[in-house]
Every structure is written in C-alpha cells, then in structure tokens.
Amino acid sequence: MAEGNGTSTPIETDAVIIGAGPCGLFAVFELGLLDIKAHVIDILDRPGGQCAELYPEKPIYDIPGLPVVTGQGLTDSLMAQIKPFGATFHYSQRVDQLAKLEDGRFRLKTDLGTEFIAKVVVVAAGGGSFTPKRPPLAGIEAYEGTSVFYSVRRMDDFRDKDVLVVGGGDSALDWTLNLQPVARSLTLLHRRDDFRGAPHSVEQMRALVRDGKIALLIGQMTALKGGNANLSAITVKTKDGETDVAANRLLPFFGLTMKLGPVADWGLNLNENLVLVDTEKFETNTPGIFAIGDINWYPGKLKLILSGFHEAALMAQAAHKIVYPGKKLLFQYTTSSSSLQKKLGVS
Amino acid sequence: MVKITYIQPDGSSQTVDATAGMTVMETAKKHMIDGIEAECGGACACATCHVYVDAAWREKTGGPSDMEEDMLDFAFDVRPESRLSCQIKVTDALDGLIVRVPEKQF
C-alpha cells in the first residue's frame, strides 16, 4: 500500500474510490471480482471511515452473518477480505477536483496534489470529509491559516510565537509538548483539570507546568481579539471570571466533524447534501460516476452499512460495462466459480 | 407518556411526548427539534447532541458518566448542567423534563 505520490504525473487506473469506509472498502471487493483495479483515497490516515473515527470500539449488531462486531473489527475484516485485490490506498488526502476528460475518463486531484485518471469514479464518502471542528467564536474564519490552525503542518509557524493550545486529548497534549521548545510562550487551555490523553503525556505536561515552562489554564474560550487576520488575545472564561490570554497562535482541538466538502462542486445532482443516484446502477447524473453508502440518496434509502454493500455490488456490474466495453459479463458465485476463487487466492 | 420540553436559545420551546426507553436525543430527532444534531447517531462519539438540563431536573437525570464527560470536551460552552442528550434515557421519573439547546453544537 502506497502513500500519495504528491507528484503531477497522474496515476492511471480503472477506478478511483473516494472514501475508505466500509462501503468504499467493499467496493474494492466487488470491483476486484470483475477485474477492475482500484485506488482508494481517504482524508483520514487509516481505513474505516466513521467506523474507525467515531465508533471503533462500539458494537454493530446489523451486519448480516456477524451477530456483533466493532467498528474497528469490521474494518479489519474488510481489509483482510479485499487484500487479494491489491488496491492502492492514499490516506490523509481529500479529493478536491473531479472533471471529465474528452476521452470519457475522469481526472481527479487531491489537496496534496496527487492526480488520477480513472475510467470510473465511486463516491463512497459517507457523511463527507472529516474536518476539524471550528469553535463557534465570532470572526474566527478571518484568523484561520494566519493565527488559527487546526493542525501543525510546519513547526516554524509557531516559532517564537505566543501559542494557546486548547483541548484535553492527545492532539492537544502532544502539540503542547512538541511546541513548547520552539514557542516563545505556550498556554494549554482545557475546560477541566482532567485530561483524556495518554497518562505519560499528561505527566510530561504537568512537569512543564511545575517547571514554569508552560501555563495551564482551566476554562473555556469566549471571544477572539485582534485585527487584520492577526490574533492578539483570546478571552477565556474561568471559574474566577473572564481573562484575556495574550496569544498570536491558536490551536483548538475539538475533534472532527463531517462536511460534504468539494463533492458539492462536481456538478452532481444533490438532494439536501446527498448525491442522487438510480437504484439499478447507483450511478449519478454523470455517467461513470457512482455514489454508494451514506452519501447517496434514492427513494427508500436507508443509511445502513448493509445497504451500502448491496449498492457496491450493483455499481460494480455497471462499472464493468464502462471499464470493459463490449465484454460480456458472466454472473458467477464465489462458492463455485474457479475463476473468482483464483482472484481471491483461495484455489 | 412522558413529556419533555426543549427550550431554544431564543426562548421558544416545544413540549413533546417521549417514550420511556428512548433517549432524550432520539426523542428530539423524532420531533425534529432544532439544534440537536447527533452526528454519530447516539454512540456518545461526537458531542453534537449537547443540552443543558434545567436546574430542577439535574438530580433526576444525574450527571455525565466518565465517557460522556470525556466527550463533553468536544462541546462548546460546557456548563455544570451540560449533558449529551443521547446519554439520557427517558424514564417515567423524567415526566416534565426541561432541557435547553445550546446556541451552537459546534
């Protein structure tokens, strides 16, 4: 499995699957049985989508044949099931552009610059792309990218700055520990004096506080101060009242939320943020672009993983006609077909 | 039937019938109460069904569990009366419950 190549030479493939959640993963299987090679792109750094991000440890009870399975367990099983098909995964990237070429194929480009040319595109993006939660503070948008960051891409952006890190999990703690040596000053703000992060990180953070190298503040942000995209202070409500923390860098860590994102810009017919498809092929209004799983809508749609699996199977039949025009598709069962079993590596 | 009242930030309120066994979040979704998003569908995994329990009801609903308290870290403007409504099960004892929907669910 390769990471994104980040170059401008497009990767040519049969299918690009957008989203590595359960439906995207099972699409690899269904396409693979029909000899359709796939590349899978996901904004998270690992497969599983919502199953991995929102409920890795929570039990799921409605997967046929599995009385109970966790989100992570289902993801791991699907990864094992699709292994024979050798799909290539591109993590931590979001597909920003999707356009149809004159030869009927599609060109895709991610935010990291990886480009693909594919005969079919399968949008299996679930609730959309996971994006960091933006604290609902008035005017925060104006500071984003200059003073407010939701991740650290370059440590240098924080060198000799007055940094306020907000949150109580591993991201907040890790970046507190990592940025402390480069920042001019660093304050960690959390709503309670109790941290979810790894105990070792919590200890290290507490030691820095004891040594006077960072400040720990218990409270919540209520307002931002500054101008011209440059933050100067953050108003914080503590149990003793409101106080201003001088800072020109803010790193809020409040988890992730799902946003439809660029999917809305690809000319696909939508119904309230869901992609409209037919129920024979699960194809969008653009032939060759399919949508399966939670992201699609059709009359009677149920947002169930099992429905997405069914959609993947029917989508693959239609995709075969595009990838192998004129080639007759013989319907076969994995139980009895030696050719399918060969593809699965079991015969 | 158990009655639950949801009060919006603008002061408007809706009183709806709830069924024992459902959660305060599910009841809100069923009656399309504004401001309860419940992105994760009730798995205590997203903090977008945050509510403030009316002072008179805090004892009856109880406080958040440790897991819920952790998840409340992802909510905005958390107060002592904050709960995730997916974690409050409706019981007959909660007949008349009043909860306030926060300004924003992030």
Side-chain angles (χ1 to χ4, degrees):
Chain A
M1 288 181 202
E3 294 297 315
N5 66 358
T7 67
S8 55
T9 313
I11 298 166
E12 293 198 29
T13 178
D14 294 333
V16 163
I17 300 170
I18 303 172
C23 297
L25 296 180
F26 197 64
V28 170
F29 184 89
E30 290 294 339
L31 292 170
L33 285 181
L34 307 184
D35 297 315
I36 299 170
K37 291 277 172 214
H39 282 249
V40 185
I41 306 166
D42 199 283
I43 193 156
L44 297 177
D45 60 2
R46 59 198 185 285
Q50 291 182 51
C51 284
E53 179 60 33
L54 288 180
Y55 46 88
E57 303 304 327
K58 297 271 159 65
I60 308 170
Y61 298 104
D62 61 352
I63 305 296
L66 297 174
V68 57
V69 65
T70 62
Q72 191 58 50
L74 179 64
T75 303
D76 294 344
S77 297
L78 283 164
M79 288 301 283
Q81 192 169 20
I82 67 175
K83 197 159 182 271
F85 301 110
T88 309
F89 286 80
H90 307 265
Y91 294 119
S92 305
Q93 311 188 44
R94 186 180 75 183
V95 177
D96 278 351
Q97 295 166 32
L98 169 58
K100 193 163 187 147
L101 299 173
E102 273 181 17
D103 65 4
R105 295 186 297 169
F106 298 93
R107 192 183 184 101
L108 302 94
K109 191 173 184 179
T110 73
D111 58 346
L112 293 188
T114 318
E115 290 190 66
F116 300 84
I117 291 179
K119 293 171 186 164
V120 295
V121 174
V122 181
V123 183
S129 21
F130 279 99
T131 45
K133 280 188 184 172
R134 166 191 281 164
L137 297 166
I140 191 166
E141 296 90 339
Y143 299 111
E144 287 171 354
T146 49
S147 293
V148 175
F149 296 86
Y150 298 100
S151 63
V152 178
R153 293 227 167 173
R154 283 189 312 269
M155 297 268 279
D156 262 353
D157 289 334
F158 299 84
R159 189 172 299 280
D160 302 321
K161 302 294 180 192
D162 297 307
V163 182
L164 180 68
V165 178
V166 191
D170 283 314
S171 304
L173 288 166
D174 289 350
W175 286 115
T176 294
L177 300 177
N178 287 322
L179 291 176
Q180 181 273 324
V182 301
R184 191 164 80 114
S185 75
L186 190 144
T187 304
L188 174 62
L189 171 69
H190 186 39
R191 72 173 184 96
R192 56 184 177 136
D193 198 5
D194 207 349
F195 290 81
R196 304 183 310 279
H200 178 66
S201 307
V202 178
E203 270 171 44
Q204 281 182 281
M205 179 274 291
R206 299 253 185 229
L208 288 175
V209 175
R210 269 197 307 276
D211 296 346
K213 291 189 170 150
I214 62 167
L216 171 62
L217 194 59
I218 305 304
Q220 299 179 74
M221 295 184 285
T222 56
L224 302 177
K225 287 184 176 169
N228 293 331
N230 289 313
L231 197 63
S232 58
I234 294 106
T235 308
V236 174
K237 191 164 85 183
T238 70
K239 65 176 176 31
D240 304 317
E242 290 207 332
T243 176
D244 277 359
V245 179
N248 45 23
R249 289 291 181 274
L250 173 64
L251 270 170
F253 293 110
F254 287 93
L256 302 173
T257 185
M258 287 172 287
K259 297 254 184 281
L260 184 61
V263 176
D265 307 326
W266 299 339
L268 305 178
N269 286 344
L270 301 179
N271 174 33
E272 291 186 10
N273 277 347
L274 298 168
V275 180
L276 283 172
V277 293
D278 65 71
T279 51
E280 181 197 344
K281 306 185 293 284
F282 300 93
E283 196 168 39
T284 68
N285 57 305
T286 304
I289 302 181
F290 300 85
I292 60 169
D294 282 2
I295 194 117
N296 75 12
W297 192 85
Y298 49 85
K301 168 72 183 182
L302 284 180
K303 285 190 183 185
L304 292 177
I305 292 171
L306 74 93
S307 303
F309 289 169
H310 160 80
E311 293 161 15
L314 269 64
M315 170 279 294
Q317 296 287 313
H320 184 270
K321 291 196 176 72
I322 298 171
V323 177
Y324 297 107
K327 197 168 165 186
K328 197 164 181 293
L329 181 59
L330 183 67
F331 181 69
Q332 302 177 96
Y333 292 102
T334 54
T335 344
S336 49
S337 156
S338 55
S339 96
L340 292 186
Q341 287 169 0
K342 206 167 173 184
K343 292 174 198 175
L344 289 165
V346 292
S347 74
Chain B
M1 263 316 177
V2 178
K3 301 274 187 204
I4 299 180
T5 300
Y6 298 84
I7 302 177
Q8 295 293 331
D10 67 3
S12 65
S13 75
Q14 269 172 284
T15 301
V16 301
D17 288 328
T19 311
M22 283 178 79
T23 66
V24 173
M25 178 279 281
E26 288 166 336
T27 307
K29 294 299 281 184
K30 187 179 162 194
H31 292 93
M32 295 186 285
I33 304 289
D34 280 344
I36 306 276
E37 288 171 22
E39 208 171 71
C40 79
C44 193
C46 74
T48 59
C49 66
H50 178 204
V51 295
Y52 303 118
V53 174
D54 185 80
W57 290 92
R58 278 168 66 184
E59 206 171 308
K60 284 215 170 95
T61 59
S65 66
D66 285 353
M67 181 178 72
E68 186 183 339
E69 192 74 70
D70 281 354
M71 202 40 66
L72 278 167
D73 284 351
F74 294 125
F76 194 74
D77 194 7
V78 179
R79 303 173 193 170
E81 63 270 30
S82 288
R83 289 291 311 266
L84 295 181
S85 56
C86 72
Q87 300 300 304
I88 309 175
K89 268 247 157 67
V90 176
T91 62
D92 291 336
L94 292 183
D95 187 18
L97 175 68
I98 299 167
V99 297
R100 287 179 178 76
V101 178
E103 199 87 41
K104 283 233 167 119
Q105 294 283 4
F106 243 95

